[in-house]
Amino acid sequence: MGLSVGEIKKLLNTSCKIILDEIDKSDDENIVYAFFGQWYKKDNEKNRIASKRFNLYRKQVNTFFTLDRFVHSEEEIINFYCISPKQNKRFNDQIIKLRNELANDLSLTELFMTEKAKEDFLGYD
């Protein structure tokens, strides 16, 4: 996108602050926020399992959404990360349901995987 590192950090910080504000305003304790960190050609060239974007987002999320207030779940091989307030008693069931849906639609799942992840975990050459 042509943004400087400082501009990217500012954009990510703003996004996290907006989500925190939305969670604080919400009465829904079962709310879940999630993202897929899209891979780039360079991730495949460097034989990465997780995309550089996913690792950047994961670091940002761990800074803003602390473990004392939020539960976290991640699937590095599909560049997927989600959080929910600790009060969410359904979080584990929600994550299991999502993982099952992704497992049942391999064509969808592989869209979020680097070539290295597909090779190592799906046996693609």
Side-chain angles (χ1 to χ4, degrees):
M1 292 187 335
L3 298 176
S4 70
V5 172
E7 291 169 324
I8 291 169
K9 285 185 177 187
K10 188 174 183 177
L11 179 63
L12 290 173
N13 287 345
T14 301
S15 298
C16 287
K17 288 176 184 177
I18 290 169
I19 293 168
L20 275 170
D21 188 47
E22 289 299 312
I23 290 171
D24 288 341
K25 286 183 200 176
S26 177
D27 292 335
D28 184 2
E29 66 185 26
N30 296 317
I31 196 165
V32 174
Y33 282 89
F35 66 83
F36 287 94
Q38 181 62 45
W39 53 268
Y40 291 101
K41 183 178 176 183
K42 195 169 190 174
D43 294 314
N44 288 330
E45 291 169 357
K46 295 196 175 217
N47 286 326
R48 293 181 178 132
I49 298 284
S51 70
K52 187 173 181 179
R53 181 182 278 187
F54 172 80
N55 287 323
L56 174 66
Y57 290 175
R58 174 174 40 195
K59 183 190 262 187
Q60 190 77 13
V61 166
N62 279 292
T63 299
F64 276 84
F65 302 92
T66 58
L67 294 174
D68 62 319
R69 288 189 57 205
F70 297 93
V71 288
H72 296 238
S73 181
E74 66 179 273
E75 291 290 335
E76 187 175 70
I77 63 168
I78 58 170
N79 294 293
F80 175 74
Y81 202 101
C82 61
I83 60 157
S84 187
K86 275 204 166 177
Q87 298 85 347
N88 184 351
K89 304 298 183 218
R90 297 180 47 223
F91 186 69
N92 288 334
D93 291 335
Q94 290 168 315
I95 296 304
I96 289 168
K97 181 179 178 187
L98 177 62
R99 287 180 181 151
N100 287 338
E101 288 178 21
L102 288 170
N104 289 327
D105 190 350
L106 195 55
S107 64
L108 174 64
T109 303
E110 66 186 20
L111 292 174
F112 303 106
M113 299 174 78
T114 63
E115 295 302 319
K116 178 70 173 158
K118 288 182 205 175
E119 188 179 301
D120 287 2
F121 296 99
L122 299 178
Y124 292 5
D125 290 327

